[in-house]
Amino acid sequence: MPVQLDLGYLTDFIRPHELAAIWPQVTTAHETLHAKTGPGNDFLGWVDLPENYDKAEYDRVKAAAARIQKDCQVFIVIGIGGSYLGARAAIEFIKSSNYNALPKDTPDIYFAGNSISPTYLNEMLALCEGKDVCVNVISKSGTTTEPALAFRVFRDLLEKKYGKDGAKSRIYCTTDKARGTLKELADKEGFETFVIPDDVGGRFSVLTPVGLLPIAVAGCDIDAMMKGAQDARKAFAAPDMDKNDCYRYAAIRNILYNKGKSVEVLVSYEPSFAMMAEWFKQLYGESEGKDQKGLYPSSMIFSTDLHSLGQFVQDGSRTMFETVVNIKTPKQDFFIEDDPDNFDGLNFLSGQNMSIVNEKAFLGTVLAHAEGGAPNLVLQLDDMSAYEYGYLVYFFEKACAVSGYMLGVNPFDQPGVEAYKKNMFALLGKPGYEAEKAALEAKL
């Protein structure tokens, strides 16, 4: 069974009656979400998306992905935040964090437009030299600085390499269905477009064309991914305290927050989970970090980070709890042979698969950290398949919405994101920001 919540390592931190005591808040949050009566109710399209997605556009995504696979060796995906994190997380989760380096019959996929680093942009351009290239630019408006700047550069690259007409068939735009600078440009130039639904916010958009096109280009089974999300939607449809692990997770997070835990660390023992953790951090950080409230979302990859941050988790300030994602079956295993010389003293590991060693590291760490005062929740996943990815995405999305309503915030806006943009525009001299520019420069 996919995504099972194990609360067995919380017995020293939460008493049984506490879950029952907070459950009325869970039920209220559930009702608010499904009745669409809470703040941010204009952005609830993700709730039923696994069933109610646009089937015709979904088929167009598959067709476009097949063309891109034939047309190019390098596929550049331009976007920032939710416009790239979910797709990159899926590709690394399902395929590998070494996807681009491994042999395959699909294009290399690189993500641009998620920083303003000139070094990074130049490196992306260098990776395209001598290669056939396609581009997918993802932006609701087309004017967000980071992706817009990258698209300007890569569009110029394609037009110089293939000519204006040749570039048209290599540029794919995922944007608003009717308005915005990018939509206007796509219509004018004849670029194929896919829709970012009006009622789905960026960090909830991975199961829309925002994520589906790059994920399909990588050769991932998006049908299985959507099936996972569909099954999760059914599994978490009712606020049953004994059966709904998604809501139990949301409740436990709030119980621990109310007890003074201010940091949630998402942990996995698979390096290919690292970008999934980055997606998780945006989902929860941008949804809950408001009104001077919210858990700070962090992440670690064990056993790697046990040799850097493990000391703090074990023995540092008692501000955090861990949500450990345990993958039961790895994509590949490795059998440990016996060494006759035993020079490293590791023959006690011989004759077994490396996954067993990883499992014992997980069990030993959970016990040590819990005994040291760091509460541990465990999410058990069967494997790192497309199906499990879709299921886990929906699990985290719905838990985030319910948890946010329990916290008393709007989980679907991000007013704080605009502050840095205004300052940056003013300092760069964008028209209309003259007064702000003078005020900021005086502070500097």
Side-chain angles (χ1 to χ4, degrees):
M1 180 179 177
V3 191
Q4 290 180 290
L5 180 63
D6 181 356
L7 303 181
Y9 303 98
L10 286 176
T11 53
D12 291 337
F13 305 98
I14 296 178
R15 297 185 180 97
H17 70 267
E18 291 183 83
L19 188 60
I22 204 172
W23 204 257
Q25 295 180 41
V26 174
T27 301
T28 298
H30 165 84
E31 292 170 351
T32 300
L33 179 66
H34 282 270
K36 299 184 178 181
T37 56
N41 55 47
D42 290 341
F43 292 94
L44 297 180
W46 59 271
V47 175
D48 295 320
L49 181 69
E51 293 287 351
N52 296 341
Y53 61 93
D54 185 327
K55 308 303 189 295
E57 184 171 51
Y58 183 82
D59 288 340
R60 283 203 304 116
V61 165
K62 284 185 170 182
R67 287 197 305 276
I68 292 166
Q69 289 172 342
K70 293 178 181 177
D71 287 347
C72 71
Q73 299 155 288
V74 175
F75 184 45
I76 300 293
V77 180
I78 299 172
I80 195 166
S83 294
Y84 93 99
L85 280 170
R88 184 170 176 184
I91 293 167
E92 296 197 10
F93 181 99
I94 298 165
K95 294 292 185 177
S96 171
S97 53
N98 295 309
Y99 167 83
N100 286 333
L102 291 171
K104 57 190 178 300
D105 56 4
T106 51
D108 289 348
I109 300 176
Y110 294 100
F111 294 86
N114 49 64
S115 77
I116 317 176
S117 165
T119 301
Y120 184 85
L121 181 60
N122 276 298
E123 290 173 350
M124 292 296 101
L125 291 169
L127 289 166
C128 294
E129 289 182 9
K131 306 284 182 64
D132 280 319
V133 180
C134 291
V135 168
N136 175 209
V137 57
I138 306 165
S139 176
K140 189 81 168 172
S141 64
T143 57
T144 303
T145 304
E146 294 90 341
L149 184 57
F151 182 49
R152 172 184 287 201
V153 171
F154 281 99
R155 180 186 170 200
D156 182 63
L157 179 150
L158 291 180
E159 290 183 350
K160 286 178 178 176
K161 185 177 179 70
Y162 301 105
K164 201 169 179 65
D165 287 338
K168 286 181 183 180
S169 63
R170 294 178 174 273
I171 296 174
Y172 298 82
C173 300
T174 308
T175 187
D176 191 90
K177 65 180 178 182
R179 59 186 181 277
T181 300
L182 183 57
K183 173 60 176 172
E184 291 174 9
L185 177 68
D187 289 346
K188 176 185 174 185
E189 299 293 337
F191 305 145
E192 181 165 6
T193 62
F194 298 95
V195 173
I196 303 174
D198 289 336
D199 58 355
V200 179
R203 58 189 178 273
F204 290 84
S205 68
V206 65
L207 300 178
T208 74
V210 169
L212 292 175
L213 181 58
I215 294 168
V217 170
C220 302
D221 186 348
I222 61 173
D223 289 342
M225 194 173 77
M226 294 302 285
K227 180 64 166 62
Q230 289 162 10
D231 288 352
R233 174 179 172 271
K234 294 173 186 174
F236 309 134
D240 186 327
M241 189 175 73
D242 296 323
K243 296 180 180 179
N244 194 322
D245 278 354
C246 174
Y247 287 5
R248 282 154 60 87
Y249 168 63
I252 295 297
R253 295 179 77 252
N254 279 270
I255 291 171
L256 292 171
Y257 177 72
N258 292 336
K259 287 175 178 279
K261 300 300 181 184
S262 57
V263 178
E264 177 178 14
V265 183
L266 188 69
V267 172
S268 175
Y269 287 73
E270 288 291 344
S272 289
F273 194 86
M275 285 307 302
M276 188 71 184
E278 294 302 308
W279 172 84
F280 167 91
K281 286 190 279 189
Q282 186 204 1
L283 179 66
Y284 281 83
E286 209 166 65
S287 296
E288 291 189 322
K290 292 155 193 168
D291 305 325
Q292 292 75 58
K293 295 189 286 189
L295 283 161
Y296 180 81
S298 183
S299 66
M300 298 180 194
I301 297 295
F302 290 166
S303 63
T304 304
D305 288 329
L306 289 174
H307 295 261
S308 58
L309 294 169
Q311 169 64 36
F312 190 97
V313 179
Q314 185 72 40
D315 204 29
S317 59
R318 301 293 80 191
T319 57
M320 64 179 65
F321 69 91
E322 295 170 276
T323 297
V324 183
V325 179
N326 182 44
I327 313 296
K328 297 177 186 177
T329 305
K331 296 173 202 169
Q332 301 181 57
D333 218 326
F334 188 90
F335 185 76
I336 304 171
E337 301 282 357
D338 191 69
D339 184 341
D341 297 328
N342 195 28
F343 78 96
D344 50 15
L346 292 180
N347 270 358
F348 71 96
L349 301 177
S350 300
Q352 61 185 332
N353 286 328
M354 197 168 173
S355 61
I356 301 299
V357 182
N358 208 24
E359 180 188 9
K360 299 307 180 186
F362 150 65
L363 293 171
T365 303
V366 167
L367 290 171
H369 287 182
E371 289 172 0
N376 270 247
L377 300 79
V378 178
L379 292 174
Q380 302 281 5
L381 264 67
D382 289 336
D383 52 41
M384 297 183 79
S385 63
Y387 176 87
E388 290 283 340
Y389 176 83
Y391 199 103
L392 187 61
V393 161
Y394 196 88
F395 176 97
F396 277 137
E397 286 181 347
K398 197 163 196 195
C400 181
V402 169
S403 186
Y405 278 149
M406 291 175 70
L407 186 63
V409 300
N410 178 353
F412 308 110
D413 67 354
Q414 52 278 342
V417 174
E418 299 304 315
Y420 93 88
K421 292 182 182 179
K422 291 178 181 177
N423 286 351
M424 180 178 71
F425 291 155
L427 291 170
L428 287 169
K430 185 174 181 177
Y433 289 81
E434 290 79 11
E436 291 90 342
K437 178 179 173 67
L440 289 173
E441 288 180 340
K443 292 179 182 179
L444 296 171

